[in-house]
Amino acid sequence: MFQGNTNPTTPAKTSLATAEADVAKELDDPSESCIYIPPIRPRRRLREDPNSGNGPNVLDEYDLRIQAYKAAWNKCLTRVQSILRAIQAPIVSEVATTVTGAYKDVLPGLPYHELPVVALHGASSSLVADIADRLERGLSPIEVHGSRDPPRGGSEKALQVHLYPADCSSVMSMMKGVVSGFVDRTPGSKRRPATALANFDINLLRAWYASQPIKLVLAVFLHEFEKFDAAVVQDVLMHVPHLPLTFVSLMASPAAPSYLHSAYPRSTLALLRVHPVVASSGTALIKDVLTKTFFDPDFEPDVMLGPTALEYIAEFATRYTASPDALITLLQLAHMKHFTQPLSVFVNAEQTAAGVSRLQTDPVPPSHASSIVQALQVRLLASASQTVPSRAGSSVSTPSSPRKADATVPSTSALHELRGYVSRAHTEFRRHARRLRVAFAVGSLAERIALGDAPASHAKSTESGGSSRLNGLEAFSAVLRGRVGSQVRYVCMAVRKLPLPKLRALFHALHALLWDASSAEVKRDEEAARVWIVTQLNELPPEPIPQSEPNVFGVAEDELPAVQDPAVKQLAAALGDWLQAYIEDHLTRLDDAPLWDIWYTSTTPFPSELVNPAPRPAAVAALLHPHDFARAHAELVRATAPTPATAFAFSAAPITAATPPDDVDTASDEGDPDPPLWRLPDTSIAFRRYVEAGRLVNVYDWFESFAVVIEAQRRALRRNARSVKTSGRGGSTDEDVDRDHAHAVDDEGEDANENGEDEDEAEEAEEAEEQWKLAVQARFVRALHELDYMGFVKHTGRKPDHVIRTIYDIPD
């Protein structure tokens, strides 16, 4: 990943030019209602190699983190999508089979034609994509006929049209979407407007379908069905002729009470043959996805989520929504938050090795290489200072405490040590995480067999403060924090009391878990446990023959409570003791490993403010207090900029505390929570006057109030410049400028005729004054346009010189 491109047209420049072209194209498109302009960090994309004539060839640290984030997130997303696809496979097969077989085996003798409708409740974007892909590819022979023989009647496919509420505001627009969606898919089908039917006429669809050589089912997907106008959908459904047309309504509402039966009358429902389908959702789905993604011994994610992120996901799933789309969004936000730290470029082992190898072979300026060495040395030494005292008080250098290298000119040996330390730290963290996943899988398996599945009311008891189970959604954070000792001991106590059938089932389940693992590392690390389980499994007594005849008490022996045999009791006790020692030994905290924060989020706060943002209050607060937002942004830039102690210094001129952005006057407002009005930007000044107006704002009065502030700003700046010129010691202070601004209205003409200006100077002054007024008007028009673009003003046709305010709840 560190290998640069020797071509002068680098990928970064090409992607930057492409992004700028896409933004310009969207800005010129009047149909676009929302445009995303990605942030661009100029002059920090690539670094020039002074010893190479091919131009820039080393990526910036920000680009490296973005590439590492994409690799880690794609791996996690692929895993989540494969799990969801496996869980939703029965639902996809049921919907696809219902759509393709909607007009087969129809009951004869019906008084009127019934229109098939598939009501899919709790549909997610991934589920809809899988259904559409299945209908596009066609059903398998097993799904169609229950055998592997190919179907005789042709391919079991369906043509699809996807409609959204915004495209179906009227009956004509919805009919046009249905008819044109199918008819226009035929290539080269041009119709003459004078002789052809209208594109919203259903007879056009009937004629088109009759001309098709292969008769396929027509499927219409209605996305966000609750947002459709019920009257429009009712009219469309009642005027559909006899065609193999099937509607699939995608609803987020639950199956009971049914939205379809509550929003549509009986006369419309009588014409429909509704087939309800409930998609997999809820906390059980979220738990399965999280377990198979972050706690499966056969899968190792690049970034392991910490207890804070998992707690927020569990709370969001139980309090708000437990949909797969929401889970994917939360997981992506957690990954994006993790890759804001500079050392996250070392998440991927292959990328880390390639990057350090590049530093060893390429001529790199000493400052850039030394920053890498120094940043990791500081982090490794901090990790060593935390781990060394806990090892019997020994101060001997450990593998996590490298010797301090030269910070000015890093040698090849120092770079080789860097690569070795990061690689060993990554291997150590993977071993810790692998042991934790195996322990969690073993404990969950033992709990499920010894205690059975959790009852339905168990979730409510855990929310109210009851004890959680190992296979519960709330137990993930407790496992990572190492706070499941009491639950592990309770499970092991239950294992010691297991009868022979359950004990045999537990041994076979543990044998299958450790012997059938697909990970070679798990098999190698758990070799001793596998041998012990096989040994104990061979010592189990044979299964007794069940006696179903009633005894003297009239009760069969298999219905009596099981009594442990002494040999079985001894084996169960041995298994319980072994499980307790095994799980407690493997459940270690991941933040004890060196450099754990590269691959583990730990207790990093989850960016919950990004889940449900408030753009309007944020925009109002930024307009009222722009310097606070600018100062916070400058601090963020300084915190995330490459520095020798925290990250790579690939930039030739990094942003530091000594060089703040040019548009932020941090010195003038230092320690001033409420700067004077004339110090604010033009848009903020206009917005302050906008807040003080009523419902209707006179534009001319607005401009006059704006011009008064701009004139005060002009006088204050002149006075400041004059004091700098006369004193020669850096200008006046903020207190002097504010004191002069307080009396600015009373002394408007005190500097008008100083030093007896002659006629030529008076004409020049008059011309300059006219240009100043034009500049003030231009500044006001620009501020007004910016407020209009943000939606704070609304134009009225009755009074062209007035605008209407759109917001009134302005904070003080």
Side-chain angles (χ1 to χ4, degrees):
M1 188 182 71
F2 281 59
Q3 297 293 331
N5 189 0
T6 58
N7 193 340
T9 306
T10 58
K13 289 185 176 180
T14 304
S15 60
L16 183 61
T18 305
E20 292 178 351
D22 294 341
V23 171
K25 186 183 299 183
E26 291 181 353
L27 288 174
D28 295 336
D29 190 359
S31 61
E32 292 288 344
S33 59
C34 182
I35 299 173
Y36 170 67
I37 302 178
I40 299 175
R41 305 179 71 175
R43 301 186 302 275
R44 298 186 65 248
R45 308 300 298 177
L46 297 173
R47 174 177 58 79
E48 295 282 347
D49 189 351
N51 299 320
S52 176
N54 296 325
N57 63 346
V58 180
L59 289 174
D60 188 5
E61 178 263 346
Y62 176 78
D63 297 321
L64 296 177
R65 279 193 285 132
I66 290 297
Q67 294 182 15
Y69 155 74
K70 289 181 179 179
W73 170 241
N74 287 335
K75 182 178 181 180
C76 179
L77 179 62
T78 303
R79 176 68 175 182
V80 172
Q81 288 178 343
S82 63
I83 297 171
L84 292 176
R85 194 174 293 112
I87 295 176
Q88 297 171 350
I91 305 298
V92 174
S93 178
E94 180 181 358
V95 173
T97 305
T98 304
V99 170
T100 55
Y103 288 89
K104 298 177 182 179
D105 299 331
V106 180
L107 293 177
L110 294 176
Y112 41 78
H113 169 67
E114 290 183 346
L115 186 63
V117 174
V118 178
L120 182 57
H121 299 272
S124 60
S125 59
S126 59
L127 177 60
V128 175
D130 291 343
I131 294 174
D133 181 68
R134 180 67 62 87
L135 293 177
E136 187 73 21
R137 293 185 291 104
L139 302 181
S140 63
I142 298 179
E143 293 176 324
V144 179
H145 301 283
S147 63
R148 298 186 179 275
D149 299 332
R152 300 179 180 178
S155 177
E156 296 293 336
K157 298 182 180 180
L159 300 179
Q160 310 167 37
V161 169
H162 296 263
L163 300 180
Y164 296 87
D167 303 330
C168 303
S169 57
S170 62
V171 177
M172 182 180 297
S173 61
M174 186 171 181
M175 292 295 293
K176 179 181 177 181
V178 174
V179 176
S180 301
F182 292 111
V183 175
D184 294 346
R185 67 173 56 243
T186 305
S189 59
K190 294 185 177 179
R191 299 176 290 110
R192 291 183 298 173
T195 58
L197 296 173
N199 55 4
F200 56 84
D201 194 343
I202 196 65
N203 293 317
L204 176 62
L205 180 60
R206 178 185 294 178
W208 171 85
Y209 184 78
S211 63
Q212 297 300 309
I214 300 178
K215 308 300 181 182
L216 299 179
V217 177
L218 309 179
V220 180
F221 286 80
L222 303 179
H223 295 261
E224 300 178 357
F225 184 71
E226 293 89 349
K227 297 182 179 180
F228 278 85
D229 190 354
V232 173
V233 177
Q234 180 180 349
D235 291 342
V236 171
L237 295 178
M238 295 183 65
H239 292 84
V240 173
H242 184 67
L243 283 173
L245 195 65
T246 303
F247 285 85
V248 181
S249 60
L250 307 177
M251 295 179 285
S253 58
S258 175
Y259 170 81
L260 195 63
H261 289 79
S262 60
Y264 292 88
R266 184 180 297 272
S267 58
T268 302
L269 296 176
L271 302 176
L272 307 180
R273 187 169 72 250
V274 181
H275 180 79
V277 179
V278 181
S280 301
S281 61
T283 56
L285 175 66
I286 304 299
K287 180 181 71 66
D288 291 343
V289 173
L290 292 179
T291 302
K292 296 179 181 179
T293 303
F294 299 102
F295 295 92
D296 191 351
D298 294 332
F299 179 75
E300 294 186 2
D302 287 345
V303 176
M304 182 69 182
L305 294 190
T308 305
L310 293 175
E311 284 177 353
Y312 184 85
I313 293 175
E315 181 183 4
F316 191 88
T318 53
R319 295 184 58 183
Y320 300 104
T321 177
S323 64
D325 293 339
L327 175 62
I328 293 176
T329 301
L330 296 177
L331 292 178
Q332 186 175 13
L333 288 177
H335 278 73
M336 294 173 66
K337 174 68 174 180
H338 178 72
F339 280 90
T340 56
Q341 61 168 330
L343 289 180
S344 59
V345 295
F346 295 107
V347 163
N348 189 279
E350 298 178 358
Q351 296 170 352
T352 300
V356 179
S357 300
R358 178 64 183 271
L359 294 176
Q360 296 177 2
T361 57
D362 287 3
V364 181
S367 60
H368 303 299
S370 63
S371 65
I372 303 173
V373 176
Q374 184 177 358
L376 283 177
Q377 278 183 343
V378 169
R379 181 62 187 86
L380 287 169
L381 290 173
S383 178
S385 64
Q386 296 176 2
T387 56
V388 170
S390 62
R391 298 181 180 180
S394 176
S395 60
V396 181
S397 178
T398 63
S400 298
S401 58
R403 60 179 177 83
K404 187 171 182 59
D406 190 359
T408 58
V409 183
S411 60
T412 304
S413 60
L415 295 175
H416 183 70
E417 287 185 34
L418 169 68
R419 177 178 179 177
Y421 290 139
V422 175
S423 300
R424 285 194 291 272
H426 193 195
T427 303
E428 183 69 14
F429 179 83
R430 290 179 58 194
R431 189 181 69 86
H432 277 70
R434 207 162 44 238
R435 288 167 57 88
L436 184 140
R437 296 188 189 100
V438 172
F440 179 81
V442 169
S444 300
L445 183 63
E447 182 185 56
R448 186 173 65 253
I449 295 178
L451 302 179
D453 296 331
S457 59
H458 182 74
K460 297 182 179 179
S461 63
T462 56
E463 293 177 4
S464 60
S467 60
S468 60
R469 300 181 54 145
L470 290 178
N471 58 355
L473 188 60
E474 297 82 4
F476 294 146
S477 59
V479 169
L480 294 176
R481 288 192 171 99
R483 300 176 181 175
V484 291
S486 60
Q487 183 62 21
V488 169
R489 289 190 293 270
Y490 181 73
V491 171
C492 295
M493 182 184 65
V495 169
R496 296 185 184 98
K497 301 179 181 180
L498 287 179
L500 181 59
K502 286 191 174 183
L503 189 63
R504 187 185 303 274
L506 179 56
F507 269 114
H508 283 289
L510 292 175
H511 179 270
L513 175 65
L514 297 180
W515 280 87
D516 297 341
S518 59
S519 176
E521 292 84 356
V522 173
K523 291 183 177 180
R524 182 182 64 251
D525 297 343
E526 309 302 329
E527 181 66 27
R530 295 164 59 192
V531 172
W532 187 88
I533 290 176
V534 171
T535 303
Q536 298 297 319
L537 191 60
N538 294 331
E539 295 181 1
L540 284 176
E543 188 74 24
I545 301 176
Q547 300 292 336
S548 58
E549 297 181 0
N551 52 15
V552 294
F553 300 101
V555 181
E557 292 187 4
D558 53 357
E559 298 179 3
L560 292 174
V563 179
Q564 280 187 321
D565 186 80
V568 174
K569 185 176 182 179
Q570 183 178 0
L571 287 175
L575 179 59
D577 297 339
W578 179 84
L579 279 177
Q580 183 173 348
Y582 179 84
I583 296 175
E584 291 179 351
D585 178 66
H586 282 60
L587 285 181
T588 58
R589 293 177 61 93
L590 298 181
D591 48 11
D592 292 338
L595 294 179
W596 57 267
D597 50 345
I598 298 180
W599 307 279
Y600 182 48
T601 63
S602 187
T603 57
T604 303
F606 187 86
S608 57
E609 64 277 1
L610 302 179
V611 177
N612 188 17
R616 191 179 74 170
V620 171
L623 289 172
L624 291 176
H625 308 284
H627 287 293
D628 295 341
F629 280 75
R631 192 180 301 109
H633 181 266
E635 293 176 357
L636 177 63
V637 171
R638 288 195 295 267
T640 57
T643 58
T646 57
F648 297 114
F650 282 151
S651 175
I655 299 176
T656 60
T659 59
D662 298 335
D663 56 345
V664 180
D665 188 8
T666 57
S668 60
D669 299 320
E670 189 71 25
D672 189 1
D674 190 12
L677 184 59
W678 62 269
R679 288 189 183 275
L680 302 182
D682 293 346
T683 307
S684 297
I685 295 174
F687 185 75
R688 287 288 186 96
R689 297 310 188 197
Y690 165 88
V691 170
E692 298 171 359
R695 178 178 177 271
L696 282 176
V697 183
N698 189 305
V699 179
Y700 182 76
D701 296 340
W702 193 2
F703 167 70
E704 289 294 331
S705 61
F706 176 83
V708 170
V709 181
I710 299 301
E711 188 65 27
Q713 181 187 82
R714 181 189 186 188
R715 286 194 300 270
L717 295 177
R718 279 182 176 180
R719 194 173 296 111
N720 191 11
R722 187 164 55 249
S723 62
V724 171
K725 183 177 181 181
T726 56
S727 63
R729 54 184 179 83
S732 61
T733 60
D734 290 344
E735 290 78 4
D736 298 333
V737 175
D738 296 339
R739 192 183 308 110
D740 295 338
H741 170 64
H743 303 283
V745 180
D746 299 333
D747 53 359
E748 293 182 357
E750 64 179 5
D751 298 328
N753 298 317
E754 291 182 357
N755 301 327
E757 297 177 344
D758 54 9
E759 294 181 357
D760 296 337
E761 294 178 351
E763 291 179 359
E764 293 178 359
E766 185 178 354
E767 184 178 355
E769 189 67 21
E770 292 296 331
Q771 294 179 358
W772 167 254
K773 291 181 179 179
L774 291 177
V776 172
Q777 292 179 9
R779 293 170 63 177
F780 174 76
V781 170
R782 178 175 180 176
L784 177 60
H785 284 175
E786 289 182 354
L787 293 176
D788 187 11
Y789 181 75
M790 289 186 287
F792 288 104
V793 297
K794 180 181 179 182
H795 299 276
T796 174
R798 295 179 299 174
K799 294 182 178 181
D801 56 343
H802 285 70
V803 293
I804 303 176
R805 289 180 57 180
T806 57
I807 60 172
Y808 301 95
D809 49 343
I810 306 297
D812 296 334

